[in-house]
Amino acid sequence: MKVLMTLQFGPARRGSTRALLPAVAILVALTGCSSKKERAYALPDKLCGTPVAPATLAPLLPAGDKLTQGKNPGSEEERCSVHVDGKSAMYTGALWEGVDDTPRRVARWEQGVDPLDTPEGNDIIHGPTGAVARVAGCPAAKKGDVMYVSMRLVEGEGVKLREVDEKYTLAFIRSYAKGIRQTERCAGKHQ
């Protein structure tokens, strides 16, 4: 927020300095409020080995100094956690589900995604805090398996849940699904 203030000086009057002080204090306060913390870290082109378009990460991740990421191996789901300045910011996941599942059904057990979020055809469901997508073109290790990817923004200790415009979760999940096709995970190699 920029404030433009014109001060006119004329003959000194008694009390004019006192009248000027509140205006200067307001100007200093407003300029102090206008500086936002910026992103000092570079946006990665891979999340735990999965290629992603960095531009799709930009609206999802908070400002900060340092981004770190790491795999969180789970049962059949491989998760990647993304931290900014040591605080959780986002999780992504890749898992095999049955051929009869849909993004809406997978969303029932994925935190950050509501089964009532916006569907995008039959392959994606996305909302302001997460998304799930079916990944086409991954040959399954077990007959009847289908690859799904998920993402969710995180709320945790000292971190408030950020809601973003759904177009950003949609853009990211599309990029992540495209990237997962280039990994061993898509080739049907389970953990």
Side-chain angles (χ1 to χ4, degrees):
M1 171 192 267
K2 291 187 178 182
V3 176
L4 184 58
M5 187 179 263
T6 305
L7 298 176
Q8 294 181 347
F9 294 97
R13 291 189 208 161
R14 189 175 188 178
S16 64
T17 305
R18 277 189 239 144
L20 183 60
L21 288 177
V24 171
I26 290 171
L27 179 62
V28 169
L30 288 174
T31 23
C33 293
S34 68
S35 62
K36 289 184 178 180
K37 189 171 182 178
E38 294 187 16
R39 182 177 291 121
Y41 58 86
L43 291 167
D45 60 359
K46 289 185 178 180
L47 289 181
C48 298
T50 301
V52 295
T56 64
L57 281 169
L60 302 178
L61 297 176
D65 295 319
K66 184 178 179 185
L67 179 138
T68 56
Q69 54 181 297
K71 285 187 179 181
N72 295 343
S75 53
E76 286 194 30
E77 182 170 11
E78 181 179 291
R79 286 211 178 265
C80 179
S81 59
V82 179
H83 295 82
V84 175
D85 295 341
K87 295 182 179 179
S88 295
M90 177 180 178
Y91 283 102
T92 61
L95 69 154
W96 292 97
E97 292 295 338
V99 73
D100 294 332
D101 280 313
T102 65
R104 190 173 302 282
R105 286 180 65 178
V106 173
R108 288 186 301 187
W109 57 85
E110 285 295 321
Q111 291 181 346
V113 188
D114 188 318
L116 300 177
D117 280 345
T118 308
E120 215 44 53
N122 295 321
D123 295 327
I124 297 175
I125 186 168
H126 61 101
T129 59
V132 172
R134 179 192 316 243
V135 182
C138 291
K142 296 188 299 188
K143 186 177 180 179
D145 278 354
V146 175
M147 173 64 74
Y148 282 87
V149 291
S150 64
M151 65 79 58
R152 69 179 169 108
L153 301 177
V154 178
E155 179 173 36
E157 187 177 323
V159 179
K160 289 189 176 188
L161 185 61
R162 297 170 328 281
E163 288 194 6
V164 299
D165 189 312
E166 292 181 28
K167 68 183 176 190
Y168 299 124
T169 57
L170 176 61
F172 175 80
I173 203 69
R174 283 181 171 157
S175 173
Y176 193 67
K178 180 179 177 184
I180 206 81
R181 284 188 212 109
Q182 301 171 35
T183 68
E184 288 184 354
R185 189 83 174 145
C186 179
K189 297 181 180 180
H190 291 261
Q191 291 182 356

